[in-house]
């Protein structure tokens, strides 16, 4: 999977005719081609150590950042996506930003651990580092300015709370998870369990569907049979799996939203549409659009103001067709 | 010869394969310091007996005693560690590795840090020196050697493990006379050192030249053990085939005696200056309808290389080829086949049979290739065709659905001959069709060739056995050092010796010129006979 | 005599390379039955008369694997490999989805056929590129198709502009989700295609020639077989079958997920082929074996979910089943098994019946 990412990046770069620059970026993690250098004397230089192609959410997120830190806004953003989600390429990019002496570094780490040395170097060079979305391990807040991210645990907790409220008399539920062992999956499980524990809801199965609609459908289809259709709730940890589950529920002769309620996290446009159509019952956004927050934090940091060490990006919950309908028109992702 | 305890004694050995009794109560003894020939027709059970001894096959009855101990080997490695080494019928080496690595494969000399290559190559050179091959560069890839030389390397490899028993299964089938003599010298040396040698060869001359004792098998049964000097050829062959020789003696009467007027008829195929860099010098050659043309020459003389150009197995680099008076360019075998030319390779295992396919599939492969995959030959037609050639060529066992790899070499050769006959060729090129096969099968193939010519098929017949070439051919093209050096119109007075003389005489002439050639060698390295020794391997058509 | 006949029959069966695959399918089904005695029960949906049941689900899930496994077995028989099938599935799915999304008309059969035609055409082109690289340029199949595997995902992303793309088209959806006379359409399609491919390959000389070049390319060339056209045909066929698999795959949810559709399916296909007894070294192939392999993989996937094996243990469970299966298929292990059967075998009179595949050597 990672290799194909590289390829799509490759294609993109080729398209803008920056093939050689792109190849260099793979190894040095330098200028990824979004900016062609030039005189940036009055501009604030921002190095963005990014994740790169990963999915719709990431794309919305990184595009949003790039659209925010524009030249018009007074920034020269150097975008350096990881090669193959490889941490080493990120560290290389990070180091070269430090050597270049950029004004501020934005970091979305592909892996949580192993950042201490790099962050210390940035600190010595007096370059502030702001974490976007992904945190680091161990979480030494003295090494960075702040982390801006929606909170997975918090979001999942809200979904759980909704579920408990919907089923005061209890019921059976299935959890559709992402790939085993991924941090997001653990966090979403953690938040959900926090709310659901002690309630009358019973988890009859938890199974990975690898974030995919097709697998979500296939897994749900079998789990429904394994439980004799005695399932009232499905918690899908992302939208795609939930959308697949909805189709499986229908094909099993059950009615989504009536017989089986489906709750998902992410809030993509397709999920909003499904919520509006009554296929899904609850969608919790996991807000990727926090460019403005980041811009604000960067400005404050450069002005010497202090900010909180963790800024939670607010995410909205949608629990009705009407609510979904209202935002559908200008949903960006 | 006094008879101490045999180093190998096999008693009452039986091996059964479902439906077939491959060996039935066979006895065999091998003494130290003797060369013991194992005799029998193809399919008599020679290879099976050897495989029983080396642990490739499990025996179903009887006992094997090696050095006084009853043994049951599980695989060749087991046998090897007990001092029994084997060189198989077909060369079985890793052509990508170097000569030295092949000799020492599995016995590399290890130092503190893995393989000590320097010592390994030194040991390989030693092993090669015993065969008089010390001039070989052990670092060169094996693939740079001719098949004949690879065979010698295989023997060196067997010797590298200090074997007490050396099994040579058809080691001479691809060697020329000088090489055979070299091998025999080594075998005698080894024998005098007390090594017991089990030797299999189809050349009776060689059996009489080297062996002390022989054991004869027929149809999987023990026929008898004799001192070689006590048994004359006639008696030996009779015991091998189980009937009197009468029928075979009449061979050779097939040779045509009438003379053609070569200028009067247009040739079927004419080559003018046909050549290919590094494999064969530009050559002129005419082949007429219904004529058997022999290519005589030693291994590496260019006889195979020339034949490959006539089929399109290799594409000619220069010169022109006309067929029925029309210019043709044969880019690949399919082109040759399309022009009604067929080529039976000398390298049966690598370029001939498709091992995991059946006899039937192997036989129809060429005609099917010509028709294309979309027009399959109806099964009924296939069966009739295969039946016809199995009967005509006496393929044994006569089972079209048996995998060809489970047939003996001679029968594989007959199946391949059937494959080419099925294409109804106007020109059939047979490269060493009789190598490594027994007397009976050889006679059958020779008869088939004579009959083909009678029926109007032109045949190019290539063989290391000059007698055979002389017996069958109307004209003999003599090759040496990658060029045609002469052409002899066959007649009553022509003998194999005459051909040898032509080759030898040219050699003297060439030696006289050799100073000049040496001087030119720097300028044109591609003409270096050493590098050009290997037949140019099939170059892929692009 | 009847026992003799039976042992011979049993022995013949054990010799079939895919014998253990069949056993494994039954073992997995048995495992499910232990968990739920009604596992194998089939019921009829009273509304539409369709068959409902776990077995039906397995058959549906096996359809795309069947497609790519059959293509893969031909490619592997030539001595090659096609790593690009998963990516071609994604491209095919992407082409179909984008086409239908742009065309609209959710009920139109014409749009569905157009989407399928276009998807298969694009797949065939990708296969042809593989074939040209392998047959004419002479690149190693592993490298050529690896390039296509990487490029394919990129192409799929370009086609969909990186987004998961959904569309609505009922006829198209019917292919993956519909039923005919109570049976799932997608499985019927798969079986029909397998039978057609099987017939074409075995009734024509294609199978023979593929095996010949897989077993001994040099000898095949000398026998006049031109490998280039054959290889091109085989790689195109593999890609087109992958395209069909892609259509089946995206059809189930009417969404193409460029990073997940067909993801790692090439591995499933290779496994199915190996389970079916085709050697990765090329040569003899068995389409029946590939079918067994594909069914086994689908059964395995479904069993894991049905038994509720935890997500983290899933890869290990899958690996164990496949390792055990491969062990059982190895000649050596099979040798042990046959060995144990040997004493009674020897007592049976050696039949004059045609000795088929025994290893007899002179």
């Amino acid at each position: 999977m990672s290799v194909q990412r590289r390829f799509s990046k490759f294609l993109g770069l080729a398209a803008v005719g920056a093939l050689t620059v792109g190849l260099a970026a793979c190894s040095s993690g330098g200028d990824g081609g979004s900016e062609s250098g030039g005189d940036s004397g009055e501009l604030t230089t921002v190095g963005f150590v990014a994740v790169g192609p990963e999915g719709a959410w990431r794309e919305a997120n990184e595009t949003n950042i790039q659209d925010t830190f524009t030249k018009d806004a007074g920034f020269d953003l150097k975008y350096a996506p990881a090669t193959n989600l490889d941490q080493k390429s990120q560290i290389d990019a990070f180091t070269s930003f430090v050597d270049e002496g950029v004004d501020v570094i934005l970091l979305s780490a592909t892996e949580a651990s192993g950042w201490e040395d790099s962050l210390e170097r940035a600190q010595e060079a007096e370059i502030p580092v702001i974490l976007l979305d992904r945190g680091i391990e161990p979480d030494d807040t003295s090494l960075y300015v702040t982390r801006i991210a929606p909170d997975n645990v918090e979001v999942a907790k809200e979904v759980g709370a909704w579920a408990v409220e919907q089923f005061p008399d209890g019921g059976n539920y299935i959890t559709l998870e992402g790939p085993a062992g991924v941090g997001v999956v653990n966090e979403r499980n953690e938040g959900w369990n926090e709310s659901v524990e002690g309630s009358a809801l019973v988890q009859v199965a938890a199974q990975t569907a690898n974030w995919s609609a097709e697998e979500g459908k296939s897994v749900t289809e079998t789990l429904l049979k394994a439980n004799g259709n005695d399932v009232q709730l499905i918690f899908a940890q992302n939208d795609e799996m939930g959308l697949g589950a909805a189709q499986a529920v229908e094909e099993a002769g059950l009615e989504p939203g009536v017989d089986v309620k489906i709750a998902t996290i992410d809030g993509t446009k397709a999920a909003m549409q499904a919520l509006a159509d009554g296929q899904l019952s609850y969608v919790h956004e996991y807000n990727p659009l926090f460019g403005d927050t980041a811009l604000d934090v960067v400005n404050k940091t450069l002005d010497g103001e202090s900010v909180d060490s963790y800024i939670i990006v607010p995410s909205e919950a949608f629990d009705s067709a009407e609510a979904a309908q209202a935002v559908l028109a200008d949903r960006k992702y | 010869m006094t008879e101490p305890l045999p180093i190998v004694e096999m008693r009452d050995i039986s091996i059964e394969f479902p439906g077939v009794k491959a060996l039935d109560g066979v006895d065999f003894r091998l003494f130290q310091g003797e060369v013991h020939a194992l005799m029998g027709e193809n399919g008599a059970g020679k290879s099976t007996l050897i495989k029983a001894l080396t642990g490739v096959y499990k025996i179903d009855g009887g006992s094997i005693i090696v050095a006084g101990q009853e043994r049951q080997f599980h695989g060749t490695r087991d046998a090897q560690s007990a001092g029994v080494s084997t060189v198989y019928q077909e060369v079985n080496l890793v052509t990508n590795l170097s000569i030295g690595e092949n000799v020492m494969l599995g016995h590399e000399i290890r130092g503190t840090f893995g393989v000590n290559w320097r010592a390994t190559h030194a040991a390989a050179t030693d092993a090669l020196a015993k065969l008089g091959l010390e001039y070989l560069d052990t670092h060169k890839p094996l693939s740079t050697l001719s098949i004949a030389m690879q065979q010698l390397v295989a023997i060196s490899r067997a010797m590298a493990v200090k074997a007490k028993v050396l099994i040579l299964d058809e080691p001479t089938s691809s060697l020329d006379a000088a090489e055979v003599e070299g091998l025999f010298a080594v075998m005698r040396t080894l024998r005098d050192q007390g090594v017991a040698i089990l030797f299999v060869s189809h050349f009776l001359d060689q059996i009489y030249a080297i062996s002390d004792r022989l054991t004869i098998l027929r149809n999987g049964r023990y026929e008898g053990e004799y001192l070689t000097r006590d048994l004359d050829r006639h008696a030996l062959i009779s015991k091998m085939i189980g009937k009197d020789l009468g029928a075979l003696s009449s061979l050779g009467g097939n040779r045509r005696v009438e003379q053609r007027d070569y200028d009067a008829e247009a040739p079927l195929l004419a080559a003018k200056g046909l050549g290919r860099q590094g494999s064969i010098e530009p050559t002129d050659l005419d082949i007429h309808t219904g004529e058997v043309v022999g290519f005589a020459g030693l291994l590496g003389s260019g006889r195979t290389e020339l034949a490959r150009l006539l089929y399109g197995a290799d594409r000619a680099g220069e010169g022109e080829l006309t067929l029925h008076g029309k210019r043709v360019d044969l880019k690949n075998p399919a082109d040759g086949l399309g022009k009604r030319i067929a080529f039976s390779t000398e390298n049966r295992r690598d370029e001939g049979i498709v091992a995991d396919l059946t006899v039937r599939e192997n036989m129809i492969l060429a005609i099917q290739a010509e028709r294309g995959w979309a027009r399959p030959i109806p099964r009924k037609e296939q069966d009739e065709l295969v039946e016809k050639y199995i009967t005509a060529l006496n393929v044994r066992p006569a089972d079209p659905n048996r995998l060809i790899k489970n047939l003996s070499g001679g029968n594989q050769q007959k199946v391949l001959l059937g494959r080419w006959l099925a294409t109804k060729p106007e020109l059939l090129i047979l490269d060493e069709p009789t190598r490594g096969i027994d007397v009976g099968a050889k006679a059958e193939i020779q008869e088939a060739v004579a009959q083909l010519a009678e029926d109007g098929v032109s045949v190019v017949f290539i063989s290391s056995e000059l007698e055979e070439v002389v017996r069958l051919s109307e004209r003999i093209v003599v090759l040496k050092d990658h060029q045609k050096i002469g052409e002899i119109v066959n007649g009553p007075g022509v003998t194999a010796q005459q051909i040898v003389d032509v080759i030898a005489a040219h050699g003297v002439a060439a030696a006289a010129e050799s100073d000049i050639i040496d001087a030119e060698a720097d300028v044109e390295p591609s003409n270096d006979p050493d590098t050009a020794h290997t037949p140019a391997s099939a170059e892929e058509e692009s | 005599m009847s026992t003799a006949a039976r042992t011979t029959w049993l022995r013949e069966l054990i010799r079939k390379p895919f014998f253990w695959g069949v056993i494994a399918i039954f073992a997995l089904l048995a495992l499910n039955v232990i968990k739920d005695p009604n596992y194998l029960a089939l019921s009829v949906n009273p509304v539409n008369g369709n068959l409902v049941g776990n077995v039906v689900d397995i058959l549906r899930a096996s359809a795309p694997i069947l497609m790519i496994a059959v293509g893969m077995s031909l490619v592997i028989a030539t001595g090659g490999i096609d790593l690009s099938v998963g990516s071609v599935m994604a491209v095919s799915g992407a082409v179909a989805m984008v086409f239908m999304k742009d065309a609209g008309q959710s009920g139109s059969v014409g749009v569905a056929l157009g989407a399928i035609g276009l998807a298969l055409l694009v797949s065939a082109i990708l296969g042809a590129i593989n074939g040209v690289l392998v047959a004419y340029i002479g690149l190693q199949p592993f490298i050529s198709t690896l390039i296509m595997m990487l490029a394919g995902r990129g192409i799929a992303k370009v086609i969909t502009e990186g987004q998961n793309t959904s569309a609505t088209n009922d006829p198209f959806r019917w292919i993956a989700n519909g039923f005919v006379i109570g049976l799932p359409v997608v499985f019927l399609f798969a079986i029909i295609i397998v039978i057609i491919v099987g017939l074409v390959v075995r009734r024509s000389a294609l199978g023979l020639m593929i095996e010949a070049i897989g077993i001994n390319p040099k000898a095949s060339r000398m026998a006049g077989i031109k490998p280039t056209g054959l290889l091109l045909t085989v790689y195109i066929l593999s890609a087109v079958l992958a395209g069909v698999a892609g259509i089946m795959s995206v059809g189930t949810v009417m969404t193409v997920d460029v990073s997940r559709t067909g993801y790692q399916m090439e591995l499933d296909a290779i496994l199915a082929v190996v389970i079916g007894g085709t050697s990765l070294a090329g040569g003899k192939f068995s389409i029946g074996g590939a079918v067994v392999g594909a069914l086994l993989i689908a059964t395995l996937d479904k069993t894991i979910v049905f038994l509720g094996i935890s997500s983290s243990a899933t890869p290990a469970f899958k690996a164990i089943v496949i390792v055990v299966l491969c062990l059982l298929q190895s000649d050596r292990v099979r040798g042990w098994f046959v060995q144990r059967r040997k004493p009674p075998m020897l007592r049976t009179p050696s039949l004059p019946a045609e000795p088929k595949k025994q290893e007899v050597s002179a």
Side-chain angles (χ1 to χ4, degrees), chain C residues 1-360:
Chain C
M1 202 56 210
S2 73
T3 44
R6 221 177 60 218
T7 33
T8 318
W9 175 81
L10 183 68
R11 195 184 151 136
E12 271 301 304
L13 190 71
I14 291 168
R15 291 179 77 95
K16 290 267 187 235
F18 53 79
F19 169 75
W20 291 106
V22 177
I23 294 288
I25 291 174
F26 283 113
L28 288 172
L29 291 179
L31 214 57
N32 286 315
V33 171
I34 291 169
K35 180 178 181 213
D36 178 358
N38 292 324
Y39 181 79
L40 295 175
L42 290 173
S43 59
V44 176
N45 184 326
V47 184
N48 47 27
N50 299 337
L51 277 179
V52 179
N54 288 297
V55 181
V56 177
D57 291 348
I58 290 175
L59 295 183
R60 283 169 54 184
S62 70
I65 310 176
L66 270 175
M67 295 292 88
I68 52 175
V70 166
M72 185 71 78
S73 65
L74 297 181
V75 173
I76 287 179
T78 65
I81 194 140
D82 188 350
L83 298 177
S84 68
V85 288
S87 295
V88 172
M89 281 175 71
V91 173
S92 156
V95 168
M97 282 300 148
V98 170
F99 179 85
M100 288 186 295
K101 191 181 181 190
D102 293 350
Q105 303 180 43
S106 69
S108 162
V109 176
V111 168
L113 289 178
I116 292 167
L118 196 61
L120 295 186
L121 180 68
V122 172
S123 304
I125 291 169
L126 298 184
I129 294 172
N130 277 336
V132 167
L133 289 177
V134 172
Y136 293 91
I137 313 280
L139 275 187
Q140 291 198 356
F142 189 94
I143 301 300
S144 317
T145 57
L146 184 67
I147 294 169
M148 188 53 74
M149 172 177 152
L150 303 179
R153 293 264 165 217
I155 294 167
K157 279 185 180 156
V158 169
I159 293 168
T160 62
E161 293 166 347
Q163 302 292 332
N164 296 348
T165 305
S166 303
T168 32
N169 182 295
D170 293 331
F172 192 92
R173 193 172 191 283
W174 174 81
I175 293 171
N177 297 297
F179 284 80
V180 164
I181 49 166
L183 292 168
V185 172
V186 68
F187 183 71
L188 293 177
F189 264 125
I191 284 299
I192 290 169
I193 292 171
V194 168
I195 290 172
I196 291 172
V197 171
L199 282 180
V200 166
V201 164
R202 289 301 183 191
R203 285 291 158 87
S204 78
L206 189 61
L208 174 67
M209 296 208 174
I210 286 172
E211 288 183 340
I213 58 176
I215 296 166
N216 190 341
K218 268 194 197 167
S220 306
R221 178 179 176 272
M222 290 296 279
I225 296 176
K226 288 186 181 171
T228 44
L230 278 176
L231 288 175
L232 187 62
T233 309
V234 168
Y235 280 94
I236 291 176
L237 184 60
S238 173
V240 169
L241 288 172
V244 174
I247 288 167
M248 291 171 167
S249 189
V250 298
T252 55
V253 285
M254 292 305 285
T255 298
V256 61
D257 181 338
V258 285
S259 57
R260 302 297 318 186
T261 298
Y263 178 61
Q264 288 188 350
M265 286 292 273
E266 59 281 345
L267 298 183
D268 278 355
I270 293 168
L271 274 176
V273 170
V274 171
I275 289 167
T278 299
S279 160
L280 281 183
K284 291 277 183 185
F285 66 91
S286 159
I287 287 188
V291 169
V292 169
L295 286 172
L296 173 65
I297 284 173
T299 311
L300 185 56
D301 284 344
K302 283 291 186 184
T303 300
I304 285 166
V305 176
F306 194 82
L307 295 181
I309 291 168
S310 86
S311 309
S312 42
T314 302
F317 183 82
K318 230 174 149 172
I320 289 168
V321 171
I322 287 160
V323 165
V324 167
L325 200 66
C326 291
L327 279 179
L328 286 171
Q329 278 187 347
S330 86
D331 278 340
R332 187 165 291 188
V333 179
R334 242 188 312 168
W336 296 341
F337 195 85
V338 175
Q339 209 82 59
R340 265 183 279 133
R341 304 268 142 175
K342 205 165 184 181
M345 275 302 301
L346 283 181
R347 254 176 270 127
T348 68
S350 61
L351 307 161
E354 65 278 29
K356 264 198 177 151
K357 289 187 178 176
Q358 294 90 2
E359 297 203 11
V360 179

Side-chain angles (χ1 to χ4, degrees), chain A residues 1 191 218 225 228 232 237 278:
Chain A
M1 180 161 84
S218 178
K225 288 204 176 67
Q232 287 76 45
Q237 292 188 344

Side-chain angles (χ1 to χ4, degrees), chain B residues 97-100 121 136-145 530-531:
Chain B
L97 293 183
S98 73
I99 295 167
H121 279 284
L136 291 179
D137 179 356
T138 59
H139 294 276
K140 271 193 172 174
L142 185 75
S143 52
T144 58
L145 296 183
D530 263 9
T531 54

Side-chain angles (χ1 to χ4, degrees), chain A residues 37-225:
Chain A
D39 183 17
S40 54
E42 293 113 54
L43 300 176
T44 305
T45 317
V46 177
F48 182 18
V49 181
V51 174
E54 190 191 50
W57 190 91
R58 185 68 55 192
E59 192 175 327
N61 172 256
E62 293 188 352
T63 310
N64 178 248
I65 297 288
Q66 282 169 285
D67 291 347
T68 310
F69 291 86
T70 56
K71 285 210 168 127
D72 293 342
F75 291 96
D76 176 14
L77 184 84
K78 293 172 182 282
Y79 175 65
T83 315
N84 299 337
L85 297 184
D86 177 22
Q87 187 180 22
K88 190 178 173 300
S89 70
Q90 284 203 314
I91 290 178
D92 287 346
F94 190 96
T95 310
S96 66
F97 283 147
V98 173
D99 294 344
E100 247 174 76
V102 296
D103 297 317
V104 66
I105 294 176
L106 305 177
L107 169 63
S108 292
T110 55
E111 269 173 57
S113 54
W115 283 102
E116 295 87 340
D117 289 348
S118 305
L119 291 173
E120 275 164 18
R121 281 192 66 177
Q123 208 156 43
E124 281 164 24
E126 296 185 344
I127 299 171
V129 177
I130 295 161
L131 305 186
L132 297 185
D133 182 36
R134 306 271 179 98
I136 56 162
E137 297 273 348
D139 193 10
D140 183 352
T141 51
S142 68
L143 289 175
Y144 59 87
V145 178
T146 183
R147 174 182 170 205
I148 308 169
D151 186 344
N152 271 312
V153 179
E154 196 54 44
V155 165
K157 212 152 99 183
E158 284 179 36
V159 182
W162 168 84
V164 172
E165 186 200 311
Q166 289 285 311
F167 295 94
D169 303 328
N172 294 334
Y173 74 91
I174 294 168
T175 307
L176 296 177
E177 301 175 343
V182 172
V184 182
V185 175
N186 297 339
E187 286 169 11
R188 289 184 182 177
N189 271 331
E190 187 191 328
W192 167 268
N193 289 340
E194 239 173 82
S195 292
V196 171
E197 246 161 47
S199 78
L201 285 167
V202 179
Q203 187 184 52
V204 292
Q207 195 59 245
T208 182
N210 291 315
W211 301 136
S212 130
E214 200 186 328
E215 283 186 57
K217 182 181 178 188
S218 178
V219 167
T220 306
E221 159 189 287
T222 303
L223 288 179
L224 285 175
K225 288 204 176 67

